[in-house]
Amino acid sequence: MEHADRIEEVSGPARFSELTVDGLRREFGGFTALNGLDLTIRGGEFIALLGPSGCGKSTALNLLAGLLEPTGGSIWLDGRRIDTVPPEKRGFGMVFQNYALFPHLTVTENIGFGLRMRKVDKKTRTERVRKVLDLVQLGSQADKHPGQLSGGQQQRVAIARAIVVEPQLVLMDEPLSNLDAKLRLDMRTEIRLLHQQLGLTTVYVTHDQAEALSLADRLVVMRDGVVQQIGTPSEVYEAPSNAFVASFVGYRNALDAMLTGRGVDIGGITLTVAADRELPSSGRAVAMIRPDNLVVAEPGAPGDNPVPFTVRVCEYQGATFAVEGAGQGGTVLHAQSGRPLVPGEEVVAHISPDRILVYPDPGQQAISREELRLVAGGEHH
Amino acid sequence: MRGTPTVATPEGRTDLRSWARTHGMTPVLWMVVPGVVFMLVFFIYPLLYGVSLSFQGKGGPLSAYREFFTDGFRNDNGSRESIWITLELALAASIINVAAALPIAYRMRGLVRGKRVITAIVLVPMTLGTVFIASAMNTFLGPAGWFNRAVLVIGLVDRPVTLVGNFTGVLLSLVINGFPFAFLLMLGYGSGIDPSLEQAAAVLGASPRERFRLIALPLLLPGLTITFCLSFILGFGVFPSATLVGNDAGPTRVISKIAYTEYSNAQYATASATAVIMAVIQLAVIGLVFWGRSRLYRGSTAGGKG
């Protein structure tokens, strides 16, 4: 009983008004996994921590859960400091990447575990478990063991187990990464739907920009333990704060550029940049362009910023074709085409001046070009 | 019309082949033969032979068993008593081994670095063998060994503690021999448990004690049962240490010693009967342990103290 009271004491009402993370740090030996995270989460918000593996997003989540101790900084829940409170007394819910369902307990017992720890009486427990089972459409699987369920069903049990205690904060650690592509899309929608229905404050960790953009109210883009940008999906998508964030949210073309007045020179071709776009002061820069903004034109058609290149690969994508080609000087270009192209074909693509983002050369920001390409090419599609 | 039989024969053969294949009967199956022959010749036959021998006592089919339970062996006495002595020794050693191995293996769960070093250290007593350990025990723990001298000097006791030549000696030897074995087995089971399960339980509000009782223990239980049973079987057949660090004329006259004495006196019927009794007791204990586990398993998972 005493134990249950202590949970209540910390968790208080189901909805908090503000959770503040202040300069949160975590080192492992000499390695800094999280280097000073500052973040304020409002009650009911859906926050996504986005970044490549090793960026510190999972570390941040484990610190919030209490599964790791911070080596610096603090976490405040409505003015109460909680970073020293053990996980069992925080009253949060968590969905693990591998689901972490108890293999020796049935679905019902798994979901009821948190309620049992809170000393909820058996009748109420059964009722609440049944309700949440209906919510995740698993009513018929109630008496099965986790091993008898499919990946998607296990995923639902994991979510049900986390939300049945009506936690004031739900933490999700790449919950969809073990599912196949179609199921991932379905579950993504279900998670968003659950959040809309229950209004549970959620912190969601992912390396998938599409997941983060579609689910979250606000994104926290991270790299090497440092926050790169915090903003709404459209802010991050339309106005990435730097070349790294841009490449992470789909600006696949990262072109070496020299500033020339109101434009940039990308190896012999000068691109005009819209007047309202901010430009670095001078010198070496990098131009970031989304493939769907670099559109292959009909032969001879007029347009802004013509970029000639030789087609190398043309992939069918339904409504359009994704084209990879070699520009002048061998620069790799990712473009879009409305018609099929043949490898070796010489074409011209156009880019609107207001669709070019120009950032100072990453070398000056200590981001390597290799890394940009790696992120741009590997982590999203 | 005449062609039918010649066509049917090859078809029939391929049918048989594909039938055999779909039922898992491939030529690889021949590789089982040496093993089966070995089992038949060196295990099944001697077993049946021994059991039948045990029914060939001089005073009728059950006379060897009757003699065992009435202490009527000509060369041996205390045969009935030996059951209790052996049971006590084996059970005590298994309980101590499992109880000691469980917390250490639990602490080491999820550990990767250092596991190999610890495993190697623990393996050393296993390689020494019963006889070496027994002679070491006689030297160190005997009345004039350093242990007794040390406790006498400190003043903990005023006369030497008897640690060898009795029940304690054999029990100690069984623990020294059996602990590494129990520990390694438990370590295997313990490290197989996903650490995120306990993290999940923690986030859901389970205290460290509840985490152990409700998550780790039920998951370790199958391993615990196997370890206990193997440890028990090892202890129940104890023979060298009962003679070397015990007193096999009285307090540690174990059942295998009875069988040995009968056998060396060419009393094959009574020796076999003793061996059969040993086997039945071991099977009974193992059956009891598994039955108890199935009861405990349900008890600790469903409902609980809610």
XYZ file of all heavy atoms in Angstrom, chain B residues 55 95 144 180:
31
model
N 15.946 -59.653 -9.830
C 14.833 -60.532 -9.462
C 15.270 -61.991 -9.333
O 14.450 -62.887 -9.245
C 13.705 -60.436 -10.501
C 13.024 -59.094 -10.489
C 13.135 -58.234 -11.570
C 12.291 -58.684 -9.369
C 12.527 -57.001 -11.552
C 11.676 -57.454 -9.350
C 11.798 -56.605 -10.451
N 20.417 -28.270 -2.518
C 19.784 -27.026 -2.039
C 20.843 -25.949 -1.840
O 20.687 -24.802 -2.281
C 18.994 -27.297 -0.734
C 17.767 -28.148 -1.059
C 18.576 -25.976 -0.084
C 17.054 -28.696 0.164
N 44.469 -31.438 12.478
C 45.715 -30.688 12.585
C 45.939 -29.775 11.379
O 47.020 -29.264 11.173
C 46.891 -31.656 12.719
N 30.400 -25.196 -8.802
C 30.759 -24.624 -10.116
C 29.803 -25.077 -11.208
O 29.390 -24.293 -12.059
C 32.163 -25.188 -10.388
C 32.663 -25.662 -9.092
C 31.488 -25.999 -8.251
